[in-house]
Amino acid sequence: MMDVPLTTWLLFEGAATHHRHSEIVSRQPGGELFRYTYGNFSERTRKLMNAFDTMGIAPGAVVATLAWNSYRHLEAYFAVPCTGRVLHTLNVRLSPDELAFILRDAGDVAVLVDPEFLPLIEQIAPRVPSLTHIVVLTDDAAAAADSTIVAYEQLLAEAESDYAAPELDERQPASLCYTSGTTGQPKGVVSTHRSLFLHALAVTSAAGICVGPGDSVLPQVPMFHASAWGLPFAAVGVGAKLVFFGGPLEAAPFVDLLLDEQVTVSAGVPTVWVSVADELERRPGANEHLRHIISGGSQPPAALIEHYSRKLGIPLVQAWGMTETSPLASVAWPQHRMRSWTEESVTHAARRQAGLPLPGVLVRLRDEDGNALAFDGASMGALEVRGPWVTDEYLHGRGAENFTEDGWFVTGDVAIGSPDGYFVISDRTKDLIKSGGEWISSVDMEAAIMAMPAVIEAAVVAAPDPKWGERPVAYVVPRPGKSIELEMIRQHLETTGFPRWQLPDRVEVIDEIPKTAVGKFDKKVLRALDGS
Amino acid sequence: MMDVPLTTWLLFEGAATHHRHSEIVSRQPGGELFRYTYGNFSERTRKLMNAFDTMGIAPGAVVATLAWNSYRHLEAYFAVPCTGRVLHTLNVRLSPDELAFILRDAGDVAVLVDPEFLPLIEQIAPRVPSLTHIVVLTDDAAAAADSTIVAYEQLLAEAESDYAAPELDERQPASLCYTSGTTGQPKGVVSTHRSLFLHALAVTSAAGICVGPGDSVLPQVPMFHASAWGLPFAAVGVGAKLVFFGGPLEAAPFVDLLLDEQVTVSAGVPTVWVSVADELERRPGANEHLRHIISGGSQPPAALIEHYSRKLGIPLVQAWGMTETSPLASVAWPQHRMRSWTEESVTHAARRQAGLPLPGVLVRLRDEDGNALAFDGASMGALEVRGPWVTDEYLHGRGAENFTEDGWFVTGDVAIGSPDGYFVISDRTKDLIKSGGEWISSVDMEAAIMAMPAVIEAAVVAAPDPKWGERPVAYVVPRPGKSIELEMIRQHLETTGFPRWQLPDRVEVIDEIPKTAVGKFDKKVLRALDGS
């Protein structure tokens, strides 16, 4: 068979010929719609490739982006790796100190930045000696305040649109993303051309997110984190219509975009689907084109899955993964034999699970002594993953303890495998509560508390206990006008099946659960409150 | 990223854990249904792996199958390559001489054979010195007539069911299939583990055949040719239910199986879909589970596509490929923007095309001087293909003229690219008719003649002509009781848009169009009749 390297160029190549009339629609943060074709995208991306050459950005150099989802961000997604450079997406929610650390750590030489984040970059640029080029994603030449700053459209206006496919090795670095773990320094994960191609193909699979030429895809996951779950690479590879919602989520304009652009597949974290559920309910025929939505990043509440299925007629399908797994590792599609099952059984067996591994991804569960655990619906163990799009190291050799000697990645998640072959995340290893020698899952308890009508958010963490080692404490955000007391929570948990010894001894009412830059509960902060 | 080799084992691995309750249903040629789970399949396949070791079949040895689609054939599909041996599928429709040539050419050491083909293998075995093991796919120990023959179930009964994953190089040979070209010697195409894995993943893509865990797949394409379009590897990789119809096609039992097993995706050549169309029409709700059917191997009549869409409510989607392309290279999914088009426009722009290339597959058209041709809806050129699952050679260096210096495979097809990005096959290069310096497409003319109610089959070939170089001759099989004359055909072609100079000067009425072992019109035989 031909020795054709698996590269991002291979995904890009068809845009000009086979998908040239397919559309890309990009909502700017102000609300304005920008609309063009794959033909335009292909031409402009080639111009950007030439611009990088003209700017003297070396092969293999790291080029950052600090931007919302947009067509210009998409152009960078291809122009940077397709020319042998490394695309480094920066999370817009990081603090200046975190950004400066990451840019310095990665040795970025250029950054493509949305106008609103330019002051932030200018503030930290002096602390990043490698950074020699700042490109503002705008057509406003005035943005180029000094000689190191240039407007994106000015660069493109001066560039040629022909660009010959370069020689690329499928194992060379193509992109870089830092994990914003809740502990320790941020750690860089490098993807190769091979891993991006394979992951993109798996995303297009009916076992993945299921994206083909007939789809219109709205990745509401940010391009600045975990490559928007690989959807930009996957969608361009198959010629799907791509729809971007730039800027922070707003329910009504988001749903407008979803319906107007006849979106068939969308993907985002559970809070997105919580935020837009009411708005979707107000629009008849919201599911006319929308075939399914993918929810990942954390476990969606069971009520949310049911709401989408019963009220809106839209399957909400869970996916699981991490930056270290590119990120898509599993998707919770129901199996064919479940067609004859009740809706309730399917929800329990499939929809509430983290998923079935994609073809190519291997998953195992191990106990504290390293013994393999069966998928028996009961045994809870450390989740470990292996596959051609799973990382085997962090940049600069950090976090070596996350890789086993036999070549598996230790996710830090604790999971239970089901007899049906799915697995579900019980907790982060470090968030498990060990009380009297037995494990308590904080995630299950949080989900149960958040199902109470009076509760908006809840996080459960371990507090040190002289007798039991650790005991659970619930931090709860009540709905406005509602009050929450310990006994209400204990009673609710007991009626939903938690044994008495697991029930929390203490409840703390707070205004908001602290969150990380990717929107996850920051339990490090909560634990610090308790001095643990 | 982890250096995990892309292998068939990677597709097989999840069967035991993640898909163990998924079903495999296999209709025996006699009509009996055999039904088991992926768990059983995994266990039996591992036993077969051990049996191969016990039999002393060397690593890298070539192991043939001569069998209909069945669960045992599926076990061989994985046990042979997963243990580092090479799976060689033999077409059951080949003549003894052809089979003997191919077995000798490939150096097969073992053959797994359906009982009905055992006499054939016994007849040719003396002419294949390398062949030391014959395994009959049966539980009937009496089939083991002499010491070189053994019953499959006897082998498995004696084998252990544990088998550790062996070390495999993704570029090592995994399977072998001969192209039954209509000219010259059969040529062997070797697939690697890498190409089989990538192809399988592409088959599961929504840009491919679109197969996920929720599907029930009936590959009506034979496992003895072009790997049943990779569907066995793809379906096992995602844990889809698999349904096999063993033996020659029979419409009523085929449709029974399709409905009873709630098949969602099926794939076959156009004659399959012609044969079962009436039967499907008699069954209400045939499309309750069936999401789409894939038609490939040759161009389906336009009327067939419309019939499935309008009468049955089942999309019939064209795919294109060759043994040399693993085989799937393109699928004709309509693009998203076509949702607002009329059914007629979509049929013209997408459904009647050979497709859009899969992500990873590159396609180009070139004129006789090697110049690239535009996708303009008019320019007809030689179709060339490149990609990680396209072969770069035939076994023993045959057919070197089919590979260009810059690394593309010359398909031998002539195609036209459309402005929408699709391409359609106009003809085989050698079947084009050159009359007075202008090309006439035999395929288009055949399709038009076959649309006449009085015609069952038609093939158009070139006859030598002293004045024009070549002129078209039509070989026609009329429906029983109908008669066909030259003038009827000329009038029909003229009304459907063929220019006068292209109309055939001669019609020959015959009982049946001669066919190759894979069911294609054998124009070599027809041309010989005309002495060209």
Side-chain angles (χ1 to χ4, degrees):
Chain A
M1 291 281 149
M2 290 177 183
D3 192 13
V4 174
L6 309 176
T7 65
T8 54
W9 187 282
L10 210 50
L11 298 168
F12 174 69
E13 178 94 27
T17 312
H18 303 295
H19 315 304
R20 62 178 145 169
H21 297 306
S22 295
E23 270 188 313
I24 296 166
V25 181
S26 187
R27 183 191 183 272
Q28 318 277 49
E32 192 194 339
L33 280 193
F34 178 88
R35 185 184 293 275
Y36 71 170
T37 66
Y38 269 56
N40 306 136
F41 155 72
S42 175
E43 188 182 346
R44 282 171 51 92
T45 301
R46 286 165 200 258
K47 285 186 177 186
L48 183 56
M49 294 179 189
N50 279 312
F52 287 145
D53 291 355
T54 307
M55 290 161 80
I57 298 176
V62 182
V63 175
T65 60
L66 185 66
W68 297 110
N69 291 6
S70 77
Y71 68 104
R72 291 189 182 114
H73 206 163
L74 183 73
E75 290 161 5
Y77 254 60
F78 284 87
V80 177
C82 282
T83 56
R85 298 173 177 100
V86 180
L87 175 76
H88 178 195
T89 48
L90 295 168
N91 190 326
V92 304
R93 299 208 182 88
L94 292 174
S95 70
D97 284 349
E98 288 170 314
L99 279 175
F101 170 85
I102 288 175
L103 281 163
R104 221 168 39 231
D105 194 62
D108 288 87
V109 302
V111 59
L112 280 61
V113 56
D114 272 348
E116 67 177 282
F117 304 120
L118 179 59
L120 181 59
I121 285 292
E122 288 184 293
Q123 178 192 342
I124 63 174
R127 295 155 66 187
V128 186
S130 58
L131 190 61
T132 49
H133 296 89
I134 297 173
V135 179
V136 189
L137 296 166
T138 178
D139 54 7
D140 178 8
D146 68 51
S147 62
T148 62
I149 302 179
V150 61
Y152 184 86
E153 294 300 334
Q154 199 178 327
L155 270 187
L156 258 56
E158 293 160 5
E160 295 288 329
S161 59
D162 282 346
Y163 202 93
E167 296 263 321
L168 296 168
D169 184 315
E170 68 181 36
R171 291 176 196 268
Q172 79 182 60
S175 74
L176 170 62
C177 186
Y178 278 73
T179 62
S180 45
T182 48
T183 52
Q185 284 178 320
K187 295 188 282 286
V189 175
V190 175
S191 294
T192 60
H193 279 275
R194 174 180 162 104
S195 72
L196 288 184
F197 178 89
L198 289 167
H199 180 261
L201 198 53
V203 166
T204 73
S205 169
I209 294 180
C210 195
V211 177
D215 283 308
S216 170
V217 183
L218 199 174
Q220 189 49 19
V221 305
M223 294 169 80
F224 58 69
H225 182 64
S227 304
W229 300 354
L231 281 166
F233 294 116
V236 168
V238 299
K241 177 173 174 177
L242 257 171
V243 184
F244 296 120
F245 186 92
L249 181 68
E250 299 162 76
F254 175 85
V255 172
D256 285 342
L257 193 67
L258 200 75
L259 300 185
D260 292 349
E261 304 306 330
Q262 304 189 340
V263 168
T264 59
V265 177
S266 190
V269 294
T271 50
V272 167
W273 307 119
V274 170
S275 308
V276 306
D278 290 350
E279 189 65 33
L280 274 169
E281 208 174 335
R282 277 193 284 275
R283 313 287 186 100
N287 64 349
E288 190 197 344
H289 293 278
L290 198 55
R291 202 171 65 238
H292 59 264
I293 57 183
I294 303 282
S295 175
S298 62
Q299 177 137 353
L304 187 72
I305 300 173
E306 273 179 32
H307 182 83
Y308 271 79
S309 166
R310 292 191 186 172
K311 281 271 174 64
L312 302 171
I314 302 166
L316 188 145
V317 182
Q318 266 201 80
W320 178 85
M322 303 170 69
T323 301
E324 291 87 338
T325 62
S326 287
L328 202 69
S330 70
V331 183
W333 293 107
Q335 293 166 339
H336 182 271
R337 67 206 174 86
M338 298 178 182
R339 285 182 177 228
S340 59
W341 294 15
T342 63
E343 180 70 22
E344 210 175 351
S345 304
V346 177
T347 299
H348 178 75
R351 299 206 182 281
R352 295 182 61 178
Q353 305 280 321
L356 292 167
L358 296 179
V361 174
L362 308 179
V363 158
R364 72 181 181 192
L365 301 175
R366 295 210 294 171
D367 68 14
E368 285 174 282
D369 302 321
N371 302 311
L373 294 175
F375 274 54
D376 58 7
S379 305
M380 192 191 283
L383 177 67
E384 300 181 353
V385 184
R386 183 167 160 76
W389 56 88
V390 179
T391 194
D392 59 352
E393 61 176 0
Y394 292 108
L395 204 61
H396 310 315
R398 281 187 203 122
E401 69 278 10
N402 294 300
F403 304 95
T404 70
E405 274 187 25
D406 61 343
W408 292 65
F409 169 60
V410 181
T411 64
D413 279 333
V414 178
I416 299 172
S418 80
D420 296 309
Y422 297 73
F423 65 93
V424 66
I425 307 297
S426 316
D427 220 329
R428 295 290 295 166
T429 312
K430 60 183 184 308
D431 294 340
L432 271 180
I433 300 156
K434 196 161 197 176
S435 177
E438 298 282 342
W439 293 112
I440 302 173
S441 162
S442 65
V443 169
D444 289 351
M445 195 173 287
E446 286 159 7
I449 298 174
M450 285 191 277
M452 297 172 71
V455 172
I456 295 179
E457 285 181 335
V460 174
V461 299
D465 184 277
K467 182 172 176 193
W468 301 106
E470 292 177 346
R471 289 296 299 156
V473 176
Y475 287 84
V476 177
V477 182
R479 278 196 194 280
K482 302 278 179 183
S483 74
I484 286 286
E485 276 156 39
L486 176 64
E487 206 41 48
M488 291 162 61
I489 289 179
R490 289 177 58 96
Q491 270 184 24
H492 170 75
L493 289 176
E494 205 171 350
T495 58
T496 55
F498 285 80
R500 283 193 70 88
W501 66 268
Q502 292 197 353
L503 305 183
D505 305 316
R506 187 151 60 86
V507 161
E508 301 286 344
V509 171
I510 53 178
D511 292 339
E512 196 189 343
I513 307 287
K515 301 201 183 58
T516 69
V518 296
K520 296 186 181 177
F521 289 171
D522 196 344
K523 296 196 182 176
K524 193 176 51 186
V525 175
L526 293 176
R527 275 192 293 263
L529 294 178
D530 258 68
S532 61
Chain B
M1 291 282 151
M2 289 176 184
D3 192 15
V4 173
L6 309 175
T7 65
T8 53
W9 187 282
L10 209 50
L11 297 169
F12 174 69
E13 178 92 30
T17 313
H18 303 297
H19 315 304
R20 63 178 144 168
H21 296 306
S22 294
E23 271 188 313
I24 297 167
V25 180
S26 187
R27 182 191 183 273
Q28 318 277 47
E32 192 194 339
L33 280 193
F34 178 88
R35 185 183 293 275
Y36 72 169
T37 66
Y38 269 55
N40 306 136
F41 155 72
S42 175
E43 188 183 347
R44 282 170 52 90
T45 302
R46 286 165 200 257
K47 285 185 175 184
L48 183 56
M49 294 178 189
N50 279 312
F52 287 145
D53 291 354
T54 307
M55 289 161 81
I57 298 176
V62 182
V63 176
T65 60
L66 185 66
W68 297 110
N69 292 5
S70 78
Y71 68 104
R72 292 189 181 113
H73 206 163
L74 184 72
E75 291 161 5
Y77 254 61
F78 283 87
V80 177
C82 282
T83 56
R85 298 174 177 99
V86 181
L87 175 76
H88 178 195
T89 48
L90 295 167
N91 191 326
V92 303
R93 298 207 183 88
L94 292 174
S95 70
D97 284 350
E98 287 169 316
L99 278 176
F101 171 85
I102 288 175
L103 281 163
R104 223 169 36 232
D105 195 61
D108 288 87
V109 301
V111 59
L112 279 62
V113 56
D114 271 348
E116 69 177 281
F117 304 120
L118 179 59
L120 181 58
I121 286 293
E122 288 185 293
Q123 179 192 340
I124 62 173
R127 295 155 67 188
V128 186
S130 57
L131 191 62
T132 49
H133 296 89
I134 297 173
V135 179
V136 190
L137 296 166
T138 178
D139 54 7
D140 178 8
D146 69 49
S147 63
T148 63
I149 302 179
V150 62
Y152 185 86
E153 294 300 334
Q154 200 178 328
L155 270 187
L156 258 55
E158 293 160 4
E160 295 289 328
S161 59
D162 282 345
Y163 202 93
E167 295 264 320
L168 296 168
D169 184 315
E170 68 180 38
R171 291 175 195 269
Q172 79 183 59
S175 75
L176 169 63
C177 186
Y178 277 73
T179 63
S180 45
T182 49
T183 53
Q185 283 177 321
K187 296 188 283 284
V189 175
V190 175
S191 294
T192 60
H193 278 275
R194 173 180 162 103
S195 73
L196 288 184
F197 178 88
L198 288 167
H199 180 261
L201 198 53
V203 166
T204 73
S205 169
I209 294 180
C210 196
V211 177
D215 284 308
S216 169
V217 182
L218 200 175
Q220 189 47 20
V221 303
M223 294 170 80
F224 59 69
H225 182 63
S227 304
W229 300 354
L231 281 166
F233 294 116
V236 168
V238 299
K241 176 173 175 177
L242 257 171
V243 184
F244 297 119
F245 186 93
L249 181 68
E250 300 162 76
F254 175 84
V255 172
D256 285 342
L257 193 67
L258 200 75
L259 301 184
D260 292 349
E261 304 306 330
Q262 305 189 340
V263 168
T264 59
V265 176
S266 189
V269 295
T271 49
V272 167
W273 307 119
V274 170
S275 308
V276 306
D278 290 349
E279 188 66 33
L280 275 170
E281 208 175 333
R282 276 193 286 274
R283 312 287 187 97
N287 65 349
E288 191 197 342
H289 294 279
L290 198 56
R291 202 171 64 239
H292 58 265
I293 58 184
I294 302 283
S295 175
S298 63
Q299 176 137 354
L304 187 72
I305 300 173
E306 273 178 32
H307 181 83
Y308 270 81
S309 166
R310 292 189 187 175
K311 281 270 174 64
L312 303 171
I314 302 166
L316 188 146
V317 182
Q318 266 201 79
W320 177 84
M322 303 170 69
T323 300
E324 292 86 339
T325 61
S326 287
L328 201 70
S330 70
V331 183
W333 293 108
Q335 293 166 339
H336 182 270
R337 67 206 174 86
M338 298 178 180
R339 286 182 175 228
S340 58
W341 295 15
T342 63
E343 181 71 22
E344 210 175 350
S345 304
V346 177
T347 299
H348 178 75
R351 299 206 183 281
R352 294 182 62 179
Q353 305 280 320
L356 292 167
L358 295 180
V361 174
L362 308 178
V363 157
R364 72 181 182 193
L365 301 175
R366 297 210 294 172
D367 69 14
E368 285 173 281
D369 301 322
N371 303 311
L373 294 174
F375 274 55
D376 58 7
S379 305
M380 192 190 283
L383 177 67
E384 300 179 355
V385 184
R386 182 167 160 76
W389 56 89
V390 179
T391 194
D392 59 352
E393 61 176 0
Y394 292 108
L395 204 61
H396 309 316
R398 283 188 201 119
E401 69 277 11
N402 293 300
F403 305 94
T404 69
E405 275 187 24
D406 61 343
W408 291 66
F409 168 61
V410 181
T411 63
D413 279 333
V414 177
I416 298 173
S418 81
D420 295 308
Y422 297 73
F423 65 93
V424 66
I425 307 297
S426 315
D427 219 331
R428 294 290 297 168
T429 312
K430 61 183 184 309
D431 293 339
L432 271 180
I433 299 155
K434 195 161 198 175
S435 177
E438 299 282 342
W439 293 114
I440 301 174
S441 161
S442 65
V443 170
D444 289 351
M445 194 172 288
E446 286 160 6
I449 298 174
M450 284 191 278
M452 297 171 71
V455 172
I456 295 180
E457 285 182 335
V460 174
V461 298
D465 184 275
K467 184 172 176 192
W468 301 106
E470 292 177 348
R471 289 297 300 155
V473 177
Y475 287 85
V476 178
V477 182
R479 278 196 194 278
K482 302 280 179 181
S483 73
I484 285 288
E485 276 157 38
L486 176 64
E487 206 42 46
M488 290 162 60
I489 288 178
R490 289 177 59 96
Q491 271 184 22
H492 169 76
L493 290 176
E494 205 172 350
T495 58
T496 55
F498 285 81
R500 283 193 70 86
W501 66 268
Q502 292 198 354
L503 305 184
D505 305 317
R506 189 151 60 85
V507 161
E508 301 285 346
V509 171
I510 53 177
D511 292 338
E512 195 188 343
I513 306 288
K515 299 200 184 59
T516 69
V518 295
K520 297 186 180 177
F521 290 171
D522 196 344
K523 296 196 181 177
K524 191 176 51 185
V525 175
L526 293 176
R527 275 192 293 263
L529 294 178
D530 258 69
S532 61

